[in-house]
Amino acid sequence: MPRLRLALNQIDSTVGDLAGNAEAVVRWTRHSAGQGAHLVAFPEMMLTGYPVEDLALRSSFVAASRAALLSLATRLADEGLGGLPVVVGHLDRSATARPKYGQPAGAPQNAVAVLHGGEVVLSLAKHHLPNYGVFDEFRYFVPGDTMPVLRVRGVDVALAVCEDLWQDGGRVPAARSARAGLLLSVNASPYERDKDDTRLELVRKRAQEAGCTTAYLAMAGGQDELVFDGDSIVVDRDGTVLARAPQFTEECVVLDLDLPAAGADAPTGVVDDGLRIDRVVLSEEPVPGDGPAPSDGPLLSGGHAERLDDDEEVYAALVAGLRAYVTKNGFRSVLVGLSGGIDSALVAAIACDAVGARHVYGVSMPSRYSSEHSRGDAAELARRTGLNFRTVAIEAMFDAYMGALGLTGLAEENLQSRLRGTLLMALSNQEGHLVLAPGNKSELAVGYSTLYGDSVGGYGPIKDVYKTSVFRLAEWRNRAAAARGQTPPIPENSITKPPSAELRPGQVDTDSLPDYPVLDAILDLYVDRDRGADEIVAAGYDRELVTRTLRMVDTAEYKRRQYPPGTKISAKGFGRDRRLPVTNRWRETG
């Protein structure tokens, strides 16, 4: 049985950075060649980054992607890597019109190319195009209609792109019909909480359907609100896991696969779902199954990276998302308003882990209503983490506004928040920091935030984290630090004291909101699962409470539209996942 040494490069790319992404392909291909790889693969849209969104509609960007691909093929050959087949995702355009989709020739495609000998020897476009959640691929692309099969070292390798595995039909059964020995799927599949288990079961199922070993190569890194968690998987035809890569880290997974030899009578023509088999033979001579193993590869056949537990996984995603946003957008530092409360404390801890404490600036902005323990908790957080810290009292500013305007009630409370927001943005302008908004998903859902106050900022690291999860993540981060013999970053008092905006004497969140465990359970049903009011009541919640909560959610849409982007960790985050009209008279509760 032939042996194929496969190198899966689970790496990051940056949208629009064609030169930088190409450089990464060359660098990791060189590393893969040093490991003795026979076939090298990179993630979906590696050359352009993912998702490119409306850049796909610019003919200049499509042309630049195609030119960069040809240049990359030439460079690989010039550097002595031309004999190694390299699978790389990019942005292409169709050669023919697609009447079924109303698209002319030249429409954009989410494509993959195989580079070899200084040329593009095989190309394919994604067959199944996702159009749900954060995906808008029907807006941009037309599907591919081929079943690409690459023969390498006597093994037939079928190729697929991300959604081609997630949807039934198409290239998975076509791989069986083509009698492939390996199905290789390249992906840019965004992270969601608990998705790793779903992904594993999917790959196992598809391997059994394809009747061959299946390799699922995933992207790592982050892009705007999306995080890519890696977790590449290789399973045999029966679904047994052969290798699994680390989460949230770049890695080159090298492993030897003993695969069936390609037959001389391999099928041709049109197979399942109308897909036409496109075969390219690069090398017929198989490598014996008893060939040498890589000398220092990070993962060999049977290697499994340690899995993260649920809280560690979510925390790692939040760190990865913030780090990617800061570094890819050229920021050198971040600024956090430290109230002494749990939200800003968790955001500060995430920021320190993402970019280093020396690049994190915290500012305490006490008013006459700020408690001594809150001021002390903010200072204690700074001491524990080592971030840069200062105090700027807002009382004099507040008094000046009040003297001029004579505000009362909610307007007086919100003025304090808006003064803090103005102060943060002024420091951002003056010193060049990226301001981090500390709002969580519970607050955003019900509008418990102040426009141009605590909602200011360029990025919201925990905007997709419910309040109950904020507490759990803070407790996990402290336990993790203690287990490593480090100082827990978050003061215990920030975790245990009742949450409060401290905008009036004795204020606590439960003056305006239900207890967070109850609130979050209702929000999960309404926001994440799209359950109606009657269904939520039937689940055991008080109708009056449900009515009040849903009204708060519905009327706060205009606030959420103006909130900064932030890391997505759930199946339905505010923003691209959940798109409701601001002007909207429909109410679940009548």
Side-chain angles (χ1 to χ4, degrees):
M1 184 174 283
R3 171 167 291 174
L4 184 70
R5 185 165 297 168
L6 178 65
L8 302 174
N9 289 286
Q10 172 183 290
I11 65 172
D12 191 9
S13 63
T14 300
V15 167
D17 187 6
L18 299 176
N21 296 336
E23 185 65 35
V25 170
V26 173
R27 183 171 66 254
W28 287 87
T29 299
R30 189 182 300 116
H31 173 79
S32 302
Q35 298 295 301
H38 304 140
L39 177 63
V40 180
F42 292 90
E44 176 183 9
M45 300 287 275
M46 174 68 213
L47 194 56
T48 55
Y50 183 88
V52 296
E53 300 184 320
D54 278 16
L55 285 175
L57 304 179
R58 293 189 189 177
S59 59
S60 58
F61 187 65
V62 179
S65 171
R66 289 165 58 88
L69 183 73
L70 297 176
S71 177
L72 175 61
T74 300
R75 182 176 171 190
L76 288 170
D78 290 344
E79 297 200 13
L81 301 169
L84 185 58
V86 176
V87 180
V88 60
H90 66 108
L91 177 64
D92 204 356
R93 59 171 175 254
S94 62
T96 58
R98 307 275 173 158
K100 179 180 178 182
Y101 301 99
Q103 293 278 11
Q109 289 186 310
N110 181 337
V112 172
V114 180
L115 310 182
H116 184 260
E119 298 179 346
V120 177
V121 297
L122 180 64
S123 63
L124 63 140
K126 196 173 186 175
H127 179 63
H128 286 304
L129 299 176
N131 204 49
Y132 54 86
V134 300
F135 304 107
D136 288 314
E137 295 209 6
F138 265 111
R139 171 181 170 88
Y140 303 116
F141 306 127
V142 292
D145 55 8
T146 64
M147 179 65 246
V149 180
L150 184 72
R151 186 165 297 177
V152 182
R153 303 299 178 106
V155 175
D156 277 351
V157 180
L159 301 175
V161 187
C162 200
E163 195 73 10
D164 292 343
L165 257 65
W166 288 91
Q167 297 294 328
D168 292 333
R171 286 191 171 127
V172 173
R176 177 185 284 273
S177 298
R179 298 181 199 166
L182 172 69
L183 173 59
L184 170 61
S185 176
V186 298
N187 309 271
S189 179
Y191 169 79
E192 291 174 9
R193 190 175 50 243
D194 302 324
K195 192 175 184 179
D196 55 334
D197 296 330
T198 303
R199 184 185 292 138
L200 174 60
E201 292 311 308
L202 171 77
V203 176
R204 283 174 163 162
K205 177 183 178 183
R206 298 310 189 206
Q208 293 166 356
E209 292 172 351
C212 63
T213 296
T214 298
Y216 180 100
L217 168 60
M219 183 179 285
Q223 169 64 29
D224 291 346
E225 296 189 296
L226 302 182
V227 176
F228 303 98
D229 58 323
D231 189 31
S232 297
I233 304 167
V234 183
V235 304
D236 68 14
R237 62 182 298 164
D238 298 319
T240 301
V241 178
L242 303 177
R244 197 163 183 185
Q247 297 166 278
F248 304 105
T249 184
E250 292 189 312
E251 189 65 88
C252 176
V253 179
V254 180
L255 70 161
D256 283 343
L257 298 172
D258 293 325
L259 301 169
D265 59 345
T268 57
V270 176
V271 290
D272 306 74
D273 215 12
L275 296 174
R276 182 190 74 251
I277 294 178
D278 278 358
R279 290 187 181 275
V280 171
V281 177
L282 296 183
S283 49
E284 292 273 19
E285 190 65 27
V287 175
D290 58 355
S295 59
D296 60 352
L299 279 179
L300 306 180
S301 183
H304 298 258
E306 183 177 353
R307 315 309 301 155
L308 306 179
D309 67 35
D310 290 345
D311 290 334
E312 183 178 10
E313 179 185 285
V314 170
Y315 191 88
L318 298 174
V319 169
L322 177 58
R323 179 186 295 127
Y325 193 85
V326 171
T327 57
K328 290 184 177 183
N329 285 288
F331 291 100
R332 298 185 299 275
S333 56
V334 299
L335 177 64
V336 187
L338 297 179
S339 67
I342 186 65
D343 295 320
S344 63
L346 179 62
V347 167
I350 291 168
C352 289
D353 290 335
V355 300
R358 70 184 183 279
H359 300 297
V360 179
Y361 290 77
V363 55
S364 172
M365 298 167 285
S367 74
R368 66 180 64 169
Y369 302 122
S370 300
S371 62
E372 286 300 321
H373 64 74
S374 290
R375 302 181 195 207
D377 292 340
E380 175 64 10
L381 172 75
R383 185 192 66 80
R384 291 181 179 215
T385 59
L387 60 78
N388 305 280
F389 181 69
R390 77 187 95 174
T391 298
V392 181
I394 66 167
E395 190 160 354
M397 308 175 209
F398 178 72
D399 289 342
Y401 269 85
M402 290 299 292
L405 297 173
L407 303 175
T408 60
L410 187 60
E412 178 184 358
E413 293 179 24
N414 286 343
L415 174 60
Q416 297 166 72
S417 181
R418 291 190 172 111
L419 286 171
R420 291 179 174 125
T422 299
L423 197 156
L424 289 170
M425 293 311 300
L427 290 174
S428 171
N429 291 159
Q430 181 70 24
E431 301 175 4
H433 312 302
L434 170 69
V435 176
L436 302 182
N440 60 66
K441 191 172 186 176
S442 306
E443 295 172 349
L444 268 63
V446 298
Y448 195 66
S449 62
T450 303
L451 277 180
Y452 323 118
D454 55 317
S455 64
V456 304
Y459 199 76
I462 61 171
K463 70 174 289 187
D464 198 27
V465 182
Y466 284 121
K467 187 78 167 192
T468 47
S469 294
V470 169
F471 283 103
R472 193 172 64 249
L473 291 172
E475 291 168 348
W476 173 85
R477 183 62 183 86
N478 278 1
R479 288 197 308 272
R484 294 193 291 264
Q486 301 170 346
T487 301
I490 300 174
E492 189 63 26
N493 195 45
S494 293
I495 299 174
T496 58
K497 66 186 178 185
S500 171
E502 293 194 332
L503 299 177
R504 64 176 183 266
Q507 182 185 32
V508 292
D509 288 3
T510 50
D511 294 341
S512 307
L513 302 175
D515 289 336
Y516 279 113
V518 176
L519 175 64
D520 289 353
I522 294 173
L523 294 176
D524 176 69
L525 291 170
Y526 188 52
V527 173
D528 293 53
R529 305 189 194 187
D530 285 317
R531 300 287 192 264
D534 291 341
E535 293 176 280
I536 298 173
V537 172
Y541 296 96
D542 175 75
R543 181 170 292 277
E544 183 179 350
L545 177 60
V546 170
T547 297
R548 182 163 67 92
T549 301
L550 269 54
R551 283 188 178 276
M552 287 192 290
V553 174
D554 291 345
T555 56
E557 187 64 35
Y558 75 102
K559 287 189 177 183
R560 290 188 289 272
R561 287 287 185 97
Q562 299 179 67
Y563 203 80
T567 307
K568 168 184 158 63
I569 62 161
S570 72
K572 182 165 285 191
F574 291 125
R576 291 171 53 169
D577 277 325
R578 187 177 188 270
R579 311 176 199 182
L580 291 173
V582 173
T583 305
N584 173 21
R585 292 188 179 181
W586 167 255
R587 294 291 180 264
E588 277 289 331
T589 52

